């Protein structure tokens, strides 16, 4: 199963032109809620550029084969394989003739479930034990989600939410490590390292305004140099990359969950030019903002 270095299987699908100059076919369905998102993708040819998410992500391959690089490891995933990506963990990938389901769950929902089932207090460090697993229950749940997304029957939103919660409980039982940590505090962005809590909350409040490294570091009462080094060490990406991912995740949610004009979405996430926003959005997600919105309807 091991081989190739790539990234998570959910967000960044990039249609590659065929020899005739036409993009390979891509079918996708998206549902986005405040605490989770689900994306079902069927593609003949796709690429996943390096990126990270502020959510735990589960990607189940339903058909075909997917090359994936998660952190330092490289894998080649086939049907029944499942990729598990931690919060802010850099990942990438690529495939031909593939179908997969990707589920992103916010730290707030994970933390809520941890407290509900009595595993530990809310100030916990939660992470996957492995990057790739074979788990029949996850694969069955992913296929059921794909069916719900396609059928769009009465109450399918509530059904999908129930599936996500069941999936997370299974992950907490089998694939997640939950450790009490004195360094973890609960913030508006979910459980975070207390040394960075003020800075991360500042970034979530000011991601659209072009906050400088100096301003972000000041929120944590640290020098720019010490803050940048500590942030990369703890979070795994630079403050600049974290902010960029935050802006694009916010854009995806606005596109999927609101009817705001795309120009307004671009402005709200810090892009003064809609054309520039469209270019950046497509380079990362592999689809235009308009097409992404259409897929979520």
């Amino acid at each position: 199963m091991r081989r190739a270095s790539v990234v998570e299987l959910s967000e960044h699908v990039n249609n590659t032109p065929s020899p005739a100059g036409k993009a390979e076919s891509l079918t996708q369905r998206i549902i986005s809620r405040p605490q989770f998102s689900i994306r079902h993708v069927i593609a003949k040819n796709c690429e996943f550029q390096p990126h990270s998410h502020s959510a735990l992500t589960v990607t189940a391959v339903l058909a075909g084969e997917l090359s994936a690089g998660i952190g330092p490891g490289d894998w080649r995933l086939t049907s029944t394989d499942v990729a598990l990506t931690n919060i802010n963990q850099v990942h990438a990938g690529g495939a031909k003739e593939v179908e997969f389901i990707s589920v992103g769950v916010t730290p707030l929902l994970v933390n809520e479930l941890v407290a509900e089932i009595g595993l530990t207090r809310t100030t916990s460090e939660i992470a996957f034990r492995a990057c790739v697993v074979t788990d029949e229950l996850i694969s069955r749940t992913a296929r059921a989600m794909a069916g719900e997304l396609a059928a769009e029957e009465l109450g399918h939103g509530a059904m999908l939410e129930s599936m996500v919660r069941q999936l997370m409980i299974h992950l907490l039982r089998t694939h997640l490590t939950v450790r009490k940590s004195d360094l973890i505090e609960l913030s508006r962005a979910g459980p975070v390292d207390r040394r960075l809590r003020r800075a991360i909350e500042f970034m979530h409040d000011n991601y659209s305004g072009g906050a400088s490294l100096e301003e972000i570091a000041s929120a944590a009462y640290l020098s720019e140099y010490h803050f940048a080094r500590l942030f990369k060490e703890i979070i795994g990406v630079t403050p600049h990359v974290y902010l960029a991912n935050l802006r694009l995740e916010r854009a995806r949610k606005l596109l999927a969950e609101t009817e705001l004009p795309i120009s307004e979405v671009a402005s709200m996430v810090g892009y003064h030019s809609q054309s520039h926003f469209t270019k950046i959005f497509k380079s990362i997600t592999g689809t235009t903002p308009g097409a992404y919105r259409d897929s979520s309807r």
Side-chain angles (χ1 to χ4, degrees):
M1 180 164 60
R2 275 194 172 252
R3 209 198 137 199
S5 174
V6 200
V7 181
E8 184 235 280
L9 334 167
S10 102
E11 296 298 302
H12 310 316
V13 178
N14 182 23
N15 283 345
T16 302
S18 67
K22 297 179 180 179
E24 299 287 0
S25 63
L26 168 69
T27 300
Q28 64 177 341
R29 296 182 180 91
I30 300 166
I31 184 168
S32 178
R33 296 290 184 269
Q35 292 189 318
F36 70 89
S37 64
I38 304 172
R39 188 178 185 185
H40 179 210
V41 172
I42 304 173
K44 285 189 176 180
N45 199 355
C46 54
E47 295 179 1
F48 313 88
Q49 299 301 317
H51 61 286
S52 64
H53 301 283
S54 57
L56 288 173
T57 306
V58 178
T59 302
V61 179
L62 304 183
E65 192 174 272
L66 177 69
S67 298
I70 305 171
D74 302 329
W75 288 267
R76 189 171 296 280
L77 295 88
T78 59
S79 59
T80 75
D81 289 333
V82 179
L84 304 174
T85 311
N86 285 312
I87 294 168
N88 296 315
Q89 185 172 37
V90 176
H91 50 274
K96 293 183 178 180
E97 303 288 352
V98 69
E99 178 183 4
F100 64 82
I101 281 277
S102 185
V103 183
V105 183
T106 67
L108 292 175
L109 177 56
V110 176
N111 207 60
E112 177 184 313
L113 290 171
V114 166
E116 280 183 10
I117 63 180
L119 276 177
T120 184
R121 293 170 53 191
T122 56
T123 53
S124 302
E125 182 181 2
I126 303 170
F128 288 118
R129 298 189 186 106
C131 294
V132 176
V133 299
T134 299
D135 188 311
E136 182 57 33
L137 191 148
I138 296 176
S139 296
R140 288 201 309 268
T141 302
R143 293 184 187 281
M145 288 178 173
E148 283 291 334
L149 284 170
E152 294 188 349
E153 294 182 357
L154 180 67
H156 83 286
M159 181 67 77
L160 287 167
E161 180 177 355
S162 175
M163 290 179 180
V164 169
R165 295 177 72 89
Q166 291 179 39
L167 173 64
M168 286 310 305
I169 291 173
H170 174 69
L171 290 169
L172 287 165
R173 288 174 173 176
T174 57
H175 299 300
L176 282 164
T177 297
V178 182
R179 294 189 295 266
K180 176 69 174 67
S181 173
D182 293 334
L183 291 176
I184 301 297
E185 290 183 353
L186 192 61
S187 76
R188 283 170 288 171
V192 298
D193 190 289
R194 61 180 174 78
R195 293 166 291 181
L196 299 177
R197 181 180 64 81
R198 292 179 182 274
I200 288 176
E201 289 188 340
F202 179 85
M203 294 167 85
H204 278 255
D205 289 339
N206 298 277
Y207 63 86
S208 63
S212 67
L213 180 61
E214 181 182 6
E215 291 172 319
I216 300 169
S218 294
Y221 305 110
L222 296 170
S223 69
E224 291 181 49
Y225 172 76
H226 183 54
F227 169 74
R229 187 176 62 177
L230 183 66
F231 193 95
K232 178 68 184 299
E233 176 185 337
I234 293 173
I235 303 298
V237 297
T238 65
H240 174 75
V241 170
Y242 184 91
L243 266 178
N245 283 321
L246 184 62
R247 294 167 75 186
L248 286 164
E249 285 195 11
R250 179 58 176 162
R252 286 192 290 269
K253 292 188 72 66
L254 289 170
L255 290 167
E257 299 175 16
T258 76
E259 295 296 329
L260 292 170
I262 292 175
S263 59
E264 189 170 342
V265 171
S267 177
M268 290 177 68
V269 299
Y271 291 93
H272 302 298
S273 164
Q274 182 178 335
S275 61
H276 182 56
F277 166 66
T278 298
K279 180 180 179 181
I280 296 297
F281 189 91
K282 186 175 182 181
S283 71
I284 294 176
T285 66
T287 188
T288 65
Y292 187 91
R293 167 168 280 171
D294 289 342
S295 298
S296 69
R297 289 175 175 168

